Amino acid sequence: MRIALSHPMLVLAGIAIAIVAWAGEPSASRAETPEETGHRIATEARDSLKGFGNFTAGMTMILRNKRGQESKREVRLKVIEVEDDGDRTLFVFDRPRDVKGTAFLVHAHKEEPDEQWLYLPALKRVKRISASNQSASFMGSEFSYEDMGAVEVEKYSHRHLRDEPCGDLECAVLERVPVSKDSGYSRQLIWLDLAELRAMKIEFFDRRDANLKTLIVEDYNQYLDSIWRPSTMTMTNHLTGKSTVMLWTDFEFQTDLDLGDFTKTALKRVR
């Protein structure tokens, strides 16, 4: 039996099998590139936001000028997931009186530019926000129309820069660069806590690569045992000294919303 095992053909066959098996397995020793790590983390963060079906919420928008003077707006929000595409989102302004009945609709897409429409009750017409105009201010706030769309991984290239403490948490810091030339940003830096992959801070850089704005995201609460949503979002404009705070309340998930609630026609019927 020892002689049979040493037969040259059996030895060659064993070597060939070993080579095929080795070639069919990915190299365990090859480390991810910063781009691969960034894309993986961004994809996992995006996937952690899925599965809610739909939800409604209330939002108070506080606009502050550089002297600290404030004005407030009361808004209702509806969001529905769309399979194999971006979410659809509807904002309805209830107060103050001069913006009451204004509605903003977003059809987010994974790769194509988001479709956005604004209903102006005084004119009784729906205005389309073109992709080239989405860097404009959203209803006088420090958020742009671009900021109000869903963040899709496919719309950015990603790079992992480092891990570092962020408050009491440990965060991954990613750089993401918009693919669209219509974006108002050259790049963004985002801090994601490593435990839950929640966005904690985002720095926005304009087309001249100046640090234009910083978004701080705080006071997360968990819903449906897996979905995290923040209660406070503060956007500060470093060029103007203005800021906008969004305070989120009254989240209700898996309601009776359907896609018919998120059409241009439905915009004119919102109350």
Side-chain angles (χ1 to χ4, degrees), residues 54-56 77-82 87-91 104-107 117 257-267 269:
N54 63 68
F55 72 87
T56 62
L77 177 76
K78 300 177 181 180
V79 181
I80 191 168
E81 286 186 296
V82 179
D87 300 341
R88 296 189 179 181
T89 306
L90 176 64
F91 297 83
F104 177 58
L105 175 65
V106 181
H107 287 188
W117 299 271
L257 296 175
D258 60 47
L259 290 177
D261 297 312
F262 298 85
T263 66
K264 289 189 293 180
T265 303
L267 270 180
R269 299 196 303 264

Side-chain angles (χ1 to χ4, degrees), residues 198-225:
R198 300 167 297 188
M200 310 304 291
K201 181 172 75 168
I202 306 175
E203 291 187 350
F204 300 84
F205 294 78
D206 65 19
R207 281 297 181 179
R208 294 173 294 180
D209 206 37
N211 187 356
L212 174 64
K213 301 185 298 188
T214 297
L215 175 66
I216 302 295
V217 189
E218 301 173 290
D219 305 326
Y220 275 92
N221 293 301
Q222 191 176 35
Y223 303 90
L224 304 178
D225 297 324

